[in-house]
Amino acid sequence: MGYDNREDKYTGIWPVMLTPFDDRGEIDYPSLSRLVEWYLKAGVHGLFAACQSSEMFFLSDAETRQLVRFIVEQVDGRVPVVASGHTASAASQQADQLGGVAETGVDGVILISNRLALAGESDGKALERLQALTAQLPAQVDLGIYECPYPYKRLLSDDTVSWCAASGRYTFIKDTCCDLPTLQRRVALTQGSRLNLANANSQTLLASLQAGVKAYSGVMANFHPQLYVWLYEHWREQPESAQQLADYLGTAALAEFLDYPACAKHFQQQCGNFTTHFCRVRNSAAYRDGFFPEAIRSMVRLGQSMENALPLSS
């Protein structure tokens, strides 16, 4: 893999991948293949598979491993791939899940912060369990943590971020704090380490890049990843265009509340990548009958106008 020795391996734009299903609710691998190529054509720097957008809580462990292995083989070293599938409650089952994902050939295995302790349990308890789980995972695979909002959001404590940075094992935090001062503090805590922050929040993205955050991993890369790629690659030398684009992206990201992931799957269906917009996480059958699809189309048309107006090729 050409990126193996890059210091910036876990930087850039990392879409949180959707899982396409057929009408029976089974994984649709031809659609998944088209989705992978769509992401890569947009110039993304990595892929995050088996995450919440992938409906990982509604996949069996066997499905997760098969899904991730398919994606790794499809990508074939063109970009790095990380994956989670960390959904269990018992520590022993969690170790089995994560170990199984490590065997698929991914570059990094991503732990879910809310699996480390129950809601209401202390940050200290979560860190203890993180340390114990880390010791059980293969040393040859990089590790990361995702502050997944489901079933509840557990933000990482400063002590946990510091421990991950000092451990040398952790390379990727999918950060969902949505708070610029917290992002700035975490940048300082990870300075000089292998650990990179991937902001999931579009509204704070440009300011976080200016503060030293080096990646984006959010749901809106399922609609217009090429715009995020341009922002990441050009915000320094074209600050005015970057601010204009960031204003659009921050506003467009409100589409996340229009029945995601059904809205993203319906969009992918309109692109010709998916055959259905079936979701396991919710009944999406009636999605196209409301006003949400037209709102998404308006968002996409505005994005296309931005792409035409901004110096995206420079």
Side-chain angles (χ1 to χ4, degrees), residues 131-145:
Q131 292 167 335
L133 188 54
T134 300
Q136 298 179 65
L137 299 177
Q140 69 272 18
V141 67
D142 292 331
L143 301 177
I145 303 183

Side-chain angles (χ1 to χ4, degrees), residues 48 82-84 86 108-116 126-127 130-131 134 142-148 154-157 160-161 163-165 169-176 186 195-198:
F48 185 176
V82 300
S84 183
H86 181 200
V109 174
I110 308 299
L111 285 68
I112 302 300
S113 58
N114 63 42
R115 301 294 83 200
L116 301 172
L127 178 55
L130 173 64
Q131 292 167 335
T134 300
D142 292 331
L143 301 177
I145 303 183
Y146 168 24
E147 294 173 322
C148 182
R154 174 175 284 273
L155 295 179
L156 301 174
S157 67
T160 298
V161 173
W163 182 84
C164 289
R169 295 292 311 277
Y170 284 82
T171 56
F172 191 92
I173 291 178
K174 179 168 156 56
D175 184 302
T176 67
R186 290 177 172 183
L195 184 57
N196 288 292
L197 300 177

